[in-house]
């Protein structure tokens, strides 16, 4: 039987937009990841479509239709939770639900942070990209509210710690015993109609496991 939590978490990180600000470069170079991330790997907007498939080239032409499908994916998770509740014991379901809420709270926090700070990292970013980050953040906010309303979870005032949030994310991006699957990142460039000569893009390859540490220990400055 496939673990319901694994399915829920895999769905969460499909159609996911993120970036790594260069402001964390010095911290990375003073960590175990020293020398791992080339300077051109920072300040790049990356779209993680699914496991083994991430892109950062010409996002303006595809990103809005892609991100709009995120709402359907999150809705599938809600349906799966409802279906699971009807088939397993209340105590087991409560454990699944508790973990899931922790996960989506973390993503709601992070996607909102990325949207609110994108202009400071990318002053000339295209409005299409900004809107995509906003749509993503809104979907996670709406999904959190729907899940809590559906399962009658009382609103808690206590703030979850950053460390707890990022540990949650690590468990989602990690795939134990998975065969390394290279993901190619091409440098994101702003679209310019007047530019007719294509520039050669340098590609950066990461494995799924490396993406775990890359996101958690660089983007959010969290040592796990």
């Amino acid at each position: 039987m496939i673990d319901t939590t694994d399915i829920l978490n895999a769905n969460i990180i499909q159609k996911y937009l993120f970036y790594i600000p260069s402001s964390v470069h010095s911290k990375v170079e003073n960590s175990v990841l020293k020398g791992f991330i080339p300077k051109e790997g920072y300040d790049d907007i990356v779209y993680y479509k699914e496991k083994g498939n991430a892109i950062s080239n010409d996002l303006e032409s595809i990103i809005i239709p892609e991100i709009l499908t995120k709402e359907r994916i999150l809705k599938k998770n809600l349906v799966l939770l409802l279906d699971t509740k009807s088939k397993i014991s209340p105590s087991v379901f409560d454990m699944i639900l508790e973990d899931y809420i922790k996960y989506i709270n973390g993503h709601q926090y992070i996607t909102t942070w990325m949207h609110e700070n994108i202009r400071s990292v990318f002053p000339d970013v295209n409005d299409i990209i900004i809107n995509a980050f906003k749509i993503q953040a809104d979907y996670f906010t709406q999904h959190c509210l729907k899940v809590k309303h559906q399962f009658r979870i009382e609103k808690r005032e206590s703030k979850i710690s950053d460390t707890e949030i990022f540990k949650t994310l690590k468990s989602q991006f990690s795939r134990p015993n998975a065969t390394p699957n290279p993901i190619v990142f091409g440098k994101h460039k702003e679209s310019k109609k007047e530019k007719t000569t294509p520039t050669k893009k340098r590609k950066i390859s990461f494995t799924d496991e490396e993406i775990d540490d890359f996101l958690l220990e660089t983007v959010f400055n969290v040592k796990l």
Side-chain angles (χ1 to χ4, degrees), residues 18-194:
F18 69 93
Y19 58 85
I20 295 89
S22 57
S23 58
V24 303
H25 177 265
S26 61
K27 293 186 178 181
V28 173
E29 291 306 301
N30 290 319
S31 74
V32 294
L33 294 178
K34 180 178 181 179
F36 173 69
I37 306 168
K39 288 185 178 180
E40 58 268 33
Y42 293 92
D43 293 342
D44 196 15
I45 298 171
V46 179
Y47 175 56
Y48 191 98
K49 188 169 185 177
E50 57 191 355
K51 184 182 179 184
N53 187 349
I55 58 176
S56 62
N57 289 323
D58 303 318
L59 292 179
E60 294 88 349
S61 63
I62 66 165
I63 197 61
I64 294 297
E66 287 282 331
I67 287 296
L68 287 174
T69 64
K70 185 72 178 184
E71 182 179 32
R72 178 177 55 81
I73 293 172
L74 293 175
K75 184 176 181 180
K76 284 170 58 178
N77 273 8
L78 179 55
V79 172
L80 177 57
L81 283 170
L82 289 168
D83 183 58
T84 301
K85 183 179 181 180
S86 67
K87 297 177 179 178
I88 63 176
S89 69
S91 58
V92 174
F93 178 74
D94 286 345
M95 292 175 62
I96 293 174
L97 182 61
E98 182 179 357
D99 285 343
Y100 186 67
I101 289 173
K102 181 173 61 176
Y103 294 155
I104 59 176
N105 279 344
H107 280 286
Q108 190 275 328
Y109 174 92
I110 289 168
T111 54
T112 297
W113 182 92
M114 287 191 293
H115 169 246
E116 291 177 347
N117 290 275
I118 188 171
R119 185 69 78 180
S120 64
V121 179
F122 305 95
D124 300 320
V125 67
N126 191 298
D127 285 344
I128 292 174
I129 300 298
I130 293 178
N131 289 337
F133 273 99
K134 183 179 188 306
I135 290 169
Q136 176 175 254
D138 287 347
Y139 281 161
F140 272 105
T141 297
Q142 293 165 12
H143 184 61
C144 285
L145 292 173
K146 287 178 181 178
V147 170
K148 292 173 183 179
H149 175 74
Q150 181 66 52
F151 297 103
R152 299 179 181 178
I153 297 171
E154 294 183 4
K155 186 176 181 181
R156 296 189 179 97
E157 296 301 327
S158 58
K159 184 178 179 181
I160 186 171
S161 69
D162 288 354
T163 299
E164 187 176 357
I165 288 173
F166 303 132
K167 282 185 177 180
T168 296
L169 288 180
K170 183 173 178 60
S171 69
Q172 290 180 245
F173 279 93
S174 295
R175 293 292 179 270
N177 303 319
T179 301
N181 189 358
I183 296 176
V184 178
F185 291 79
K187 192 67 180 172
H188 174 75
K189 300 289 184 181
E190 287 295 328
S191 298
K192 294 184 179 180
K193 294 182 180 179
E194 66 273 14

